Amino acid sequence: MKKLFALLLAAMMVLSLAACGSKEESAAEEKPAAEQPAETPAEEPATDSDLAAIQSKGTLVVGITDFAPMDYKDANGNWIGFDADMAKAFAESLGVNVEFVEIDWDNKVLELNSQAIDCVWNGMTLTDEVTSAMECSNAYCNNAQVVIVPADKADQYQTVEACADLAFAVEAGSAGEAEVSALGYSFTPVKAQSDALMEVAAGTSDAAVIDSLMAAAMVGEGTGYADLTYTVGLNSEEYGVGFRKGSDLAAALNDFFATAYTDGSMIACAETYGVQAALIAQ
């Protein structure tokens, strides 16, 4: 009798344990999703590629200003110049077309980040401000900011100190503006470097500060500004091309520059526009 009672007691304990286990499993299944242990989602690899996006849409949009000998229009209204021609060649190497968009130079970073343009390719000085805001190519040309004055007054303005009392015209957001601002000179910002030259030619400004490469092409004997000349160099600098921060197009352009320099096409293009002396080996 005692054995029978012990067997019955053991059977009841087994059934009780089984029921408890079933209730715990059921409770776990019915537990709200918010109370379940959260799984850590796997981090997805970045797939953004400006290069792939450009090749997908079939067009490289280049932000520029009217800036000879880098970007300017020929008699037919087509954009030419050292930068324009190199941009065309780069686009061709990617298998896409090129589109040039004239931008407000002071808003170049906004234009780039809003994706209104794909790059800034316009004799852009590689300042700390530029390199912190853009993914930049390797430097490809040397340059300087120079003072432009009427030729008949040039002998009066052969030093930085002698220029201190002049009223300058400078392109807004340019390296020239940065230089005259740092020197504490009086200046009026204008839309483009070409406008700064017109200010001096018209006598509404005493002087301008523009890029030396532009000065060599635009002022002096045999140019449209034969009565102007350049005197003082304010600095030395380098040009680069700017893309959106993190863009893989910068590396693609560096590869293109290296190839174009090695095969001679970059040098030939520079010679066409008279900037070969400023070209930086790639």
Side-chain angles (χ1 to χ4, degrees):
M1 187 67 176
K2 289 182 179 179
K3 289 183 180 180
L4 179 58
F5 179 79
L7 288 172
L8 288 172
L9 184 60
M12 289 173 66
M13 291 177 67
V14 169
L15 289 172
S16 176
L17 290 171
C20 288
S22 177
K23 286 179 182 178
E24 289 174 2
E25 290 173 7
S26 176
E29 291 172 0
E30 293 175 5
K31 198 171 187 180
E35 296 177 21
Q36 298 287 354
E39 291 185 7
T40 303
E43 191 171 309
E44 295 184 4
T47 56
D48 289 345
S49 166
D50 280 353
L51 177 57
I54 294 305
Q55 292 176 322
S56 177
K57 73 177 180 178
T59 305
L60 176 71
V61 183
V62 181
I64 59 172
T65 67
D66 189 345
F67 172 27
M70 312 311 278
D71 294 303
Y72 62 101
K73 289 183 178 180
D74 64 13
N76 298 317
N78 299 313
W79 287 103
I80 60 171
F82 177 69
D83 280 348
D85 285 9
M86 291 302 294
K88 293 172 191 174
F90 177 55
E92 184 178 354
S93 76
L94 299 179
V96 301
N97 298 317
V98 67
E99 177 185 348
F100 295 105
V101 175
E102 223 172 334
I103 61 172
D104 183 335
W105 194 246
D106 202 25
N107 293 328
K108 56 188 176 292
V109 176
L110 293 175
E111 295 276 3
L112 194 60
N113 290 340
S114 70
Q115 299 188 18
I117 58 175
D118 298 313
C119 64
V120 180
W121 198 333
N122 191 73
M124 181 175 67
T125 302
L126 294 174
T127 63
D128 290 342
E129 181 182 4
V130 164
T131 55
S132 65
M134 303 182 193
E135 195 72 28
C136 295
S137 72
N138 294 335
Y140 63 90
C141 264
N142 290 306
N143 185 52
Q145 296 301 311
V146 296
V147 174
I148 305 294
V149 295
D152 60 358
K153 298 179 180 179
D155 59 341
Q156 303 174 40
Y157 304 113
Q158 295 295 318
T159 67
V160 173
E161 293 74 21
C163 298
D165 295 328
L166 296 177
F168 285 86
V170 294
E171 182 183 46
S174 69
E177 182 183 48
E179 288 299 320
V180 296
S181 180
L183 288 166
Y185 290 173
S186 173
F187 66 91
T188 299
V190 295
K191 185 177 180 181
Q193 293 190 76
S194 55
D195 294 331
L197 289 178
M198 286 191 284
E199 289 280 325
V200 182
T204 49
S205 292
D206 299 325
V209 173
I210 66 171
D211 291 40
S212 62
L213 287 178
M214 184 180 193
M218 295 288 287
V219 306
E221 187 177 350
T223 72
Y225 292 100
D227 294 334
L228 302 182
T229 190
Y230 50 98
T231 57
V232 183
L234 299 181
N235 68 349
S236 60
E237 58 194 36
E238 296 175 332
Y239 285 163
V241 181
F243 302 91
R244 280 180 284 280
K245 202 67 178 173
S247 175
D248 54 354
L249 280 168
L253 180 57
N254 288 338
D255 290 343
F256 169 77
F257 275 165
T259 300
Y261 190 87
T262 300
D263 67 22
S265 58
M266 190 176 192
I267 298 169
C269 185
E271 290 172 345
T272 299
Y273 296 101
V275 299
Q276 64 273 19
L279 200 62
I280 297 173
Q282 301 296 304

